[in-house]
Amino acid sequence: MFNSNESEFLKFSNVTKIFKSGHLKTYALDSVSFSLMENEILSVVGESGSGKSTLGLIAIAMETYNSGNVYFEGREIKKLKRKELRKFREKSQMIFQDPYESLNPFNSIYTSVSTPLYGFHSKMPYDEKRKSVIKILNDVGLMPATEYIDEFPTKLSGGQRQRASIARSFILNPKFIVADEPTSMLDASSVAEILTLLKKMKEQYKYSMLYISHDIASAHYISDRMVVMNLGRIIESGSSDEIVNHPAHPYTKKLIDSVPKLGEKLDNIENVNFIPKYINGGMKGCTYSNICPIARDKCKTERPELFDLGNNHYVACFYPLI
Amino acid sequence: MSDILSIKNLSVVYKTSNRETSALKSININFRSHEIAAIVGESGSGKSTMGLAIMKLISDPGKITSGEVIYHGDQDIDIMGLDAGELRRFRWKTISMVFQASMNSLNPVTRVRDQFMDTFAAHSMKQDDKMIDFLLEHSGLSNNVKNMYPNQLSGGMKQRVNIALALACNPKILIADEPTTALDVVVQREILEYLASLKNKLNLTIIFITHDISLASMVADRMFIFYDGRVIESGDTEEIINNPLHPYTKKLLSLIISLKSVNNLKFYMPDKKNYNKSNSGCSYYNNCPIRSSACLKYDYHEIINNNHMVKCINVDKVINNV
Ligand SMILES: Nc1ncnc2c1ncn2[C@@H]1O[C@H](COP(=O)(O)OP(=O)(O)O)[C@@H](O)[C@H]1O
Ligand SMILES: Nc1ncnc2c1ncn2[C@@H]1O[C@H](COP(=O)(O)OP(=O)(O)O)[C@@H](O)[C@H]1O
Ligand SMILES: [Mg+2]
Ligand SMILES: [Mg+2]
């Protein structure tokens, strides 16, 4: 298990989040437990609808939950006092998927990036604010910062905008980052730029991060450890290398097989299968049992719990692939 | 294989009050019958503009300033010379297009069947249920999708319907503009397989527009690399991925995040947007690692062998790995 010297930075314990609309219930999170260690990047991987954004919002105290507990540095988030919550918000930042939305097109880069300073350090003199913005712009590779600081977002490319939005997230020197699909709106070539930047930034600004993505290849690239989600449940977790090289859950294998590979030919395809839209309305069995190629009767009626395959590799499957 | 569509010296300019963008700078491409040709480039490189120009759909503030697009049917037709009535008979029946981000603009209050019926009506085709069944079957969707509304469909199902709609009038050429962008990797692969299957099943020529060179390599017979409104390299897919010559193509290939990428990706500074503004010379000049003063002088291109074209005056340096 976890080395006891390492401290648990964030911990989810049996967290359940249900969205109701009319008589329809969606288990966005269905009894989810995991820990994020101090100074760690942990990836949360799964297709859209699997509950990743809900998890991220709860982690950053921007969404409530129905049951279970969320602990931040050992303290339950629900029980934080107002002042403590303010401190928590200062030290936690979110990077969103769409840099076009997160930067106001009518504000200069300076205005957007410095906003958190005005919120949390309103007394800081203007010159100092400007200096911090210049420093952070240089750190995110918008160099020389003086060429960018008074520009408007419309003048920047998608990758540059996401850098500016990352600059804003880092201006308060946060300890905790939730990056929700930060590259999914970007060109393939900018994805590598942004991920490499986030890795580089971590050496400079020590922080813990939840990296949320539908793309297991980018998750593997950026993080040492990952959890894989399917319809509100964590179905596999472990070291990224281990999971990518030895997936134990059929769903994880599907995610891996779907990663595009340079030069791999998709010729002569006869059957074009597709996966219909499912939600978890409180499933008894495995959430993947509807489409799993190896599901048996038991999978439809009994919930598989996560169990240890060794080396901190956990899977929730009655018939794991390894 | 014979040519089915030839683009000759095609230029498109967008002219707004405060700026003029040359979106296409005299491009030349011959598409071959029954091939999948990928148009690959970062956003803003002119990919969508090319698709729209082929359909003669460029509208204000855009203008086709030169060139022709010849469809080689029973006789040659210059699409740019067609009048409104002729275009109505030509579009969708000869060349059809899946527009970028269009799957989310399917009319939400119209059942799938009626969306097809509307498409038939708009192009004066027989309203034929059998055709709908045929197209749905090829797209891997079951028949009951006909009676569903778009919001009942998953992202992948919506895009299949959207593509099937573009095929409603049995076109010879399909232009698919970023058909998998914004979809999860799993669904992206499904859509890619579906597109690849169409080539043989419907005897189509497909022009596949994407920013992702690894996706392109999986389905395309040939690739055309776009940069700032020009084709800077083109050739057979195998040749381009195994023997890339333009420094920009090399960069695209070096930035692919795969399951194998570990810490070996280069940290790039963001590209400068101030392309070389003059009309001759290389647009990549400002970002190019092997530039020389000669690069700004002429619009250079070199045929390496029958199929491999590159626009780089320093191609010898690349070949010798300087
Ligand atoms: N505010 C909301 N109201 C109703 N349902 C929601 C809301 N947010 C998320 N959901 C539902 O919860 C499930 C998980 O959503 P989400 O957390 O956004 O997943 P992901 O980020 O993995 O795509 C989905 O079925 C989604 O439709
Ligand atoms: N309607 C428009 N008005 C003004 N400029 C446009 C318009 N459409 C495209 N452009 C410009 O033309 C160039 C090429 O755009 P586009 O063809 O959409 O590229 P891509 O599809 O490769 O992203 C870009 O610089 C873009 O800003
Ligand atoms: Mg999400
Ligand atoms: Mg486009």
Side-chain angles (χ1 to χ4, degrees):
Chain A
M1 286 304 287
F2 300 122
N3 185 335
S4 54
N5 295 332
E6 279 181 87
S7 53
E8 278 180 354
F9 184 74
L10 173 80
K11 183 180 160 87
F12 272 48
S13 169
N14 297 313
V15 175
T16 294
K17 171 71 184 179
I18 301 168
F19 288 107
K20 284 191 193 135
S21 70
H23 59 284
L24 193 75
K25 268 188 180 180
T26 306
Y27 280 69
L29 297 182
D30 186 355
S31 195
V32 163
S33 303
F34 70 91
S35 298
L36 169 70
M37 298 296 143
E38 178 120 35
N39 237 330
E40 179 186 38
I41 300 181
L42 175 72
S43 287
V44 181
V45 182
E47 280 174 279
S48 89
S50 58
K52 307 180 301 295
S53 293
T54 303
L55 182 151
L57 289 171
I58 291 175
I60 209 154
M62 283 165 67
E63 178 66 275
T64 58
Y65 43 98
N66 297 75
S67 60
N69 302 93
V70 178
Y71 303 92
F72 186 74
E73 293 184 321
R75 307 270 317 274
E76 202 173 345
I77 288 193
K78 265 185 179 165
K79 295 186 179 148
L80 294 182
K81 307 222 170 60
R82 248 189 62 194
K83 246 186 148 171
E84 293 170 317
L85 195 62
R86 189 177 152 84
K87 196 84 203 149
F88 173 80
R89 296 215 185 281
E90 182 184 342
K91 290 292 162 202
S92 318
Q93 288 293 327
M94 189 123 185
I95 302 171
F96 291 100
Q97 111 184 90
D98 193 349
Y100 297 81
E101 268 175 26
S102 56
L103 295 179
N104 183 334
F106 301 108
N107 286 343
S108 71
I109 298 301
Y110 171 78
T111 308
S112 284
V113 173
S114 66
T115 304
L117 290 177
Y118 284 89
F120 287 95
H121 301 285
S122 49
K123 295 203 186 87
M124 185 190 271
Y126 173 80
D127 279 0
E128 233 174 275
K129 288 198 183 94
R130 204 162 159 98
K131 255 190 226 151
S132 326
V133 172
I134 286 177
K135 174 169 188 311
I136 198 82
L137 289 180
N138 280 322
D139 287 347
V140 298
L142 292 175
M143 262 198 272
T146 44
E147 265 182 31
Y148 292 91
I149 190 164
D150 297 316
E151 278 295 353
F152 287 82
T154 44
K155 283 277 178 65
L156 307 185
S157 70
Q160 289 173 332
R161 275 181 238 211
Q162 193 57 293
R163 285 173 194 257
S165 135
I166 288 171
R168 183 180 52 192
S169 303
F170 281 95
I171 191 107
L172 293 173
N173 196 6
K175 290 282 144 253
F176 179 36
I177 300 270
V178 175
D180 191 355
E181 311 254 17
T183 61
S184 64
M185 307 284 286
L186 302 178
D187 282 352
S189 53
S190 307
V191 171
E193 281 185 23
I194 294 299
L195 295 182
T196 310
L197 173 68
L198 286 172
K199 279 175 97 151
K200 189 193 84 132
M201 295 288 279
K202 191 168 160 283
E203 289 160 21
Q204 195 174 344
Y205 297 77
K206 305 265 178 249
Y207 56 84
S208 314
M209 176 159 92
L210 286 179
Y211 172 77
I212 294 174
S213 177
H214 64 86
D215 176 15
I216 198 165
S218 72
H220 172 250
Y221 175 63
I222 199 171
S223 63
D224 296 330
R225 213 160 58 87
M226 61 170 81
V227 299
V228 183
M229 292 189 70
N230 181 252
L231 296 185
R233 292 185 193 160
I234 292 178
I235 53 96
E236 186 157 1
S237 72
S239 91
S240 303
D241 277 341
E242 171 80 10
I243 289 185
V244 159
N245 294 317
H246 309 286
H249 200 288
Y251 178 66
T252 309
K253 182 161 188 313
K254 173 99 187 169
L255 289 179
I256 291 168
D257 291 344
S258 299
V259 172
K261 287 166 202 77
L262 185 72
E264 178 200 9
K265 282 290 169 210
L266 291 181
D267 276 348
N268 302 318
I269 287 159
E270 272 311 309
N271 299 314
V272 285
N273 294 313
F274 76 99
I275 299 166
K277 189 175 177 177
Y278 285 109
I279 58 162
N280 177 357
M283 283 169 111
K284 256 201 269 167
C286 172
T287 47
Y288 194 55
S289 60
N290 282 328
I291 28 185
C292 180
I294 60 164
R296 302 187 209 171
D297 289 346
K298 182 180 181 185
C299 305
K300 314 225 173 201
T301 53
E302 243 180 87
R303 175 171 178 161
E305 296 297 338
L306 285 168
F307 74 96
D308 195 351
L309 292 162
N311 296 324
N312 280 324
H313 185 176
Y314 290 79
V315 67
C317 177
F318 295 122
Y319 309 103
L321 303 175
I322 52 168
Chain B
M1 264 192 290
S2 58
D3 290 346
I4 189 168
L5 187 78
S6 305
I7 298 179
K8 292 184 185 159
N9 299 320
L10 183 67
S11 299
V12 175
V13 173
Y14 292 97
K15 203 169 185 173
T16 54
S17 53
N18 57 358
R19 70 172 165 174
E20 192 174 307
T21 310
S22 282
L24 291 179
K25 297 170 180 166
S26 194
I27 63 166
N28 289 285
I29 300 178
N30 295 319
F31 294 107
R32 298 176 189 155
S33 270
H34 198 74
E35 77 171 337
I36 300 185
I39 307 295
V40 182
E42 64 194 28
S43 65
S45 58
K47 308 181 296 297
S48 297
T49 299
M50 185 208 69
L52 295 169
I54 291 173
M55 305 278 286
K56 207 182 174 193
L57 279 171
I58 299 289
S59 59
D60 240 16
K63 206 167 172 259
I64 295 171
T65 51
S66 76
E68 44 195 40
V69 180
I70 312 287
Y71 173 70
H72 307 291
D74 296 335
Q75 62 202 67
D76 285 0
I77 302 171
D78 179 10
I79 299 169
M80 301 303 111
L82 298 181
D83 65 27
E86 290 167 326
L87 279 170
R88 202 165 330 113
R89 285 187 292 276
F90 184 81
R91 284 186 199 136
W92 242 249
K93 290 179 190 160
T94 308
I95 307 183
S96 189
M97 181 158 173
V98 175
F99 299 101
Q100 186 166 1
S102 56
M103 67 180 228
N104 293 320
S105 43
L106 290 174
N107 189 338
V109 296
T110 309
R111 289 180 199 272
V112 168
R113 179 174 178 275
D114 296 327
Q115 311 241 4
F116 278 97
M117 291 303 182
D118 292 350
T119 307
F120 293 143
H123 298 92
S124 333
M125 294 264 299
K126 204 170 86 202
Q127 306 217 332
D128 184 358
D129 259 300
K130 278 208 204 87
M131 184 67 182
I132 304 180
D133 294 343
F134 171 81
L135 290 169
L136 288 181
E137 190 195 313
H138 275 307
S139 70
L141 294 170
S142 68
N143 216 296
N144 57 13
V145 166
K146 270 205 292 195
N147 296 315
M148 293 168 126
Y149 291 98
N151 68 354
Q152 292 174 289
L153 307 174
S154 66
M157 294 164 88
K158 257 190 257 178
Q159 188 61 299
R160 278 163 202 258
V161 168
N162 197 27
I163 294 171
L165 280 169
L167 299 170
C169 306
N170 204 6
K172 301 278 183 295
I173 301 175
L174 176 73
I175 304 170
D177 192 356
E178 309 259 12
T180 67
T181 303
L183 294 172
D184 285 0
V185 277
V186 175
V187 179
Q188 170 175 281
R189 189 178 184 101
E190 291 173 17
I191 296 293
L192 219 55
E193 290 178 348
Y194 168 43
L195 274 177
S197 76
L198 289 174
K199 178 172 106 170
N200 292 326
K201 283 183 184 162
L202 304 182
N203 207 11
L204 268 178
T205 302
I206 299 176
I207 300 174
F208 174 52
I209 296 177
T210 179
H211 61 81
D212 187 335
I213 196 167
S214 52
L215 277 190
S217 77
M218 293 169 75
V219 292
D221 301 301
R222 291 192 299 155
M223 294 210 264
F224 297 83
I225 314 292
F226 272 44
Y227 188 81
D228 189 33
R230 290 196 176 97
V231 183
I232 53 106
E233 184 159 12
S234 66
D236 293 342
T237 297
E238 251 75 296
E239 171 75 6
I240 298 287
I241 64 177
N242 294 322
N243 186 24
L245 292 175
H246 199 286
Y248 177 69
T249 312
K250 284 180 160 274
K251 178 178 169 182
L252 286 185
L253 286 164
S254 76
L255 284 174
I256 293 171
I257 301 261
S258 74
L259 286 163
K260 294 200 193 78
S261 18
V262 263
N263 281 318
N264 53 358
L265 291 185
K266 212 172 134 190
F267 180 69
Y268 283 95
M269 295 313 287
D271 266 3
K272 293 201 176 3
K273 266 284 164 187
N274 50 339
Y275 300 122
N276 160 27
K277 288 283 189 288
S278 73
N279 265 332
S280 67
C282 181
S283 303
Y284 195 54
Y285 180 80
N286 281 322
N287 293 302
C288 186
I290 58 163
R291 67 185 166 205
S292 59
S293 56
C295 301
L296 289 172
K297 290 199 186 106
Y298 14 69
D299 189 2
Y300 178 89
H301 74 123
E302 177 156 335
I303 311 291
I304 302 299
N305 59 41
N306 274 344
N307 287 323
H308 195 166
M309 183 283 293
V310 62
K311 276 196 162 69
C312 176
I313 204 166
N314 290 324
V315 64
D316 292 345
K317 282 199 211 167
V318 182
I319 291 172
N320 301 324
N321 236 330
V322 178

